[in-house]
Amino acid sequence: MAFLRPFLLFCLISVSFAHEAFDSHLLPRPLILEFPQKVENQLEELDGEIKLRCDSWRFNAEANNLSPWRRIPLECAEYVKEYSSGRAYQLDVETASKEAEIFAKSVKLVGDGKDVWIFDIDETLLSNLPYYTEHGYGSDVFNPLEFDNWVQKATAPALLPSLKLYKELLDLGFKVVLLTGRSESQREVTTQNLIDAGYYGWERLILRTPDDQGKLAVFFKSEKRSEMENEGYRIIGNSGDQWSDLLGTSVSLRSFKLPNAMYYIS
């Protein structure tokens, strides 16, 4: 049995070394990158700078200070997404609509059915946010064919503050005229969409005829307002999300600009 001793001793030494050599820290671990505090601060400063620049861009877009633009700055895509789908946009629409209501209540109507309030439709009465959610919130170049396909669905929801203002104006005795850049060929689906969204009782719905195609929005809408004035209508108020809805000739007594950070129409 003496010859077994060296063998047993060798086994015990091997087991001992095996336990001693085992180290859990040598096992593969997830890769964890820890940025130095200075780098983290620089990243936070960069994020803050981008937000400030996008805040400035949106302010100047709303103030009509920018040259005509085709899409939002790419670095502002996430910013516009958060704004347009969040509480800030809703508050801006509510504020504009509330101020319009206060003004409307201050007006003494003549009572002959000629006191008019004009509304644009897209991003004024109806929201196309479901469409722009699928198209980068304005970071994609506008595709008129795809947008027309969306319009044909007639499912755009109402902007609720605008719907409230709309009904209040009818109760006050205003005639409501809808003046939109949509095509005359979209009259049926537009009418159905408006009714489904809760709108009713408008005086007329004015769309682009074939003769109006190609005209800048500001010229097209100015012409239609001028025609209304020639018919004896008094344009008291005008609500729209584009400056081209509100500027030009035959403007209203007061105009109310609703926010739109997703697109620009001249």
Side-chain angles (χ1 to χ4, degrees), residues 1-264:
M1 297 295 291
F3 74 95
L4 291 176
R5 287 182 179 179
F7 176 75
L8 292 173
L9 179 61
F10 173 79
C11 291
L12 289 173
I13 292 173
S14 299
V15 171
S16 174
F17 272 109
H19 281 284
E20 188 176 35
F22 179 77
D23 185 350
S24 63
H25 291 290
L26 298 179
L27 294 176
R29 292 184 295 165
L31 179 62
I32 300 176
L33 297 178
E34 296 184 3
F35 290 106
Q37 186 65 41
K38 182 178 180 181
V39 174
E40 289 186 356
N41 291 341
Q42 289 175 339
L43 290 174
E44 290 178 0
E45 290 176 2
L46 179 60
D47 288 341
E49 178 67 16
I50 291 174
K51 183 181 183 304
L52 285 174
R53 289 184 177 275
C54 292
D55 272 334
S56 177
W57 173 83
R58 185 175 71 83
F59 170 82
N60 282 281
E62 295 293 2
N64 204 29
N65 291 334
L66 303 180
S67 299
W69 47 279
R70 297 184 61 200
R71 62 182 181 182
I72 66 174
L74 293 179
E75 64 270 23
C76 295
E78 188 64 26
Y79 170 90
V80 172
K81 172 185 175 180
E82 292 181 3
Y83 169 75
S84 299
S85 59
R87 180 63 176 148
Y89 172 74
Q90 289 298 321
L91 283 173
D92 286 346
V93 176
E94 288 174 11
T95 299
S97 300
K98 184 63 178 177
E99 289 301 315
E101 181 181 338
I102 292 172
F103 166 69
K105 289 180 177 178
S106 73
V107 176
K108 185 176 181 180
L109 303 185
V110 175
D112 59 357
K114 295 293 186 178
D115 294 308
V116 167
W117 197 289
I118 297 175
F119 282 98
D120 174 53
I121 291 180
D122 295 299
E123 272 58 66
T124 300
L125 295 182
L126 299 177
S127 170
N128 296 304
L129 188 60
Y131 170 83
Y132 283 99
T133 297
E134 302 298 324
H135 293 81
Y137 295 87
S139 60
D140 297 345
V141 175
F142 180 71
N143 186 317
L145 294 179
E146 289 186 8
F147 185 75
D148 286 348
N149 290 335
W150 157 254
V151 170
Q152 288 298 320
K153 295 179 180 179
T155 57
L159 275 170
L160 296 182
S162 293
L163 180 58
K164 180 179 180 296
L165 171 63
Y166 181 100
K167 292 180 177 180
E168 182 65 31
L169 291 171
L170 290 180
D171 289 343
L172 290 171
F174 283 91
K175 297 295 183 180
V176 171
V177 172
L178 311 183
L179 177 53
T180 174
R182 290 188 179 194
S183 171
E184 182 64 40
S185 64
Q186 297 170 323
R187 178 176 292 276
E188 184 177 347
V189 292
T190 298
T191 298
Q192 189 59 55
N193 197 162
L194 288 165
I195 292 173
D196 291 345
Y199 296 100
Y200 58 88
W202 54 81
E203 179 78 357
R204 63 179 69 175
L205 168 59
I206 304 173
L207 304 100
R208 283 183 186 262
T209 67
D211 291 339
D212 296 317
Q213 299 302 324
K215 294 179 181 178
L216 290 176
V218 68
F219 295 147
F220 162 67
K221 296 199 170 186
S222 291
E223 287 179 359
K224 297 307 176 182
R225 292 196 301 266
S226 178
E227 291 173 7
M228 292 171 57
E229 287 186 331
N230 290 337
E231 295 176 37
Y233 286 101
R234 293 175 295 275
I235 304 174
I236 306 300
N238 188 2
S239 296
D241 67 293
Q242 300 289 323
W243 283 105
S244 54
D245 298 330
L246 312 173
L247 299 179
T249 59
S250 299
V251 297
S252 58
L253 189 59
R254 275 201 66 181
S255 299
F256 295 87
K257 170 71 168 65
L258 274 70
N260 187 343
M262 296 185 296
Y263 60 87
Y264 170 88

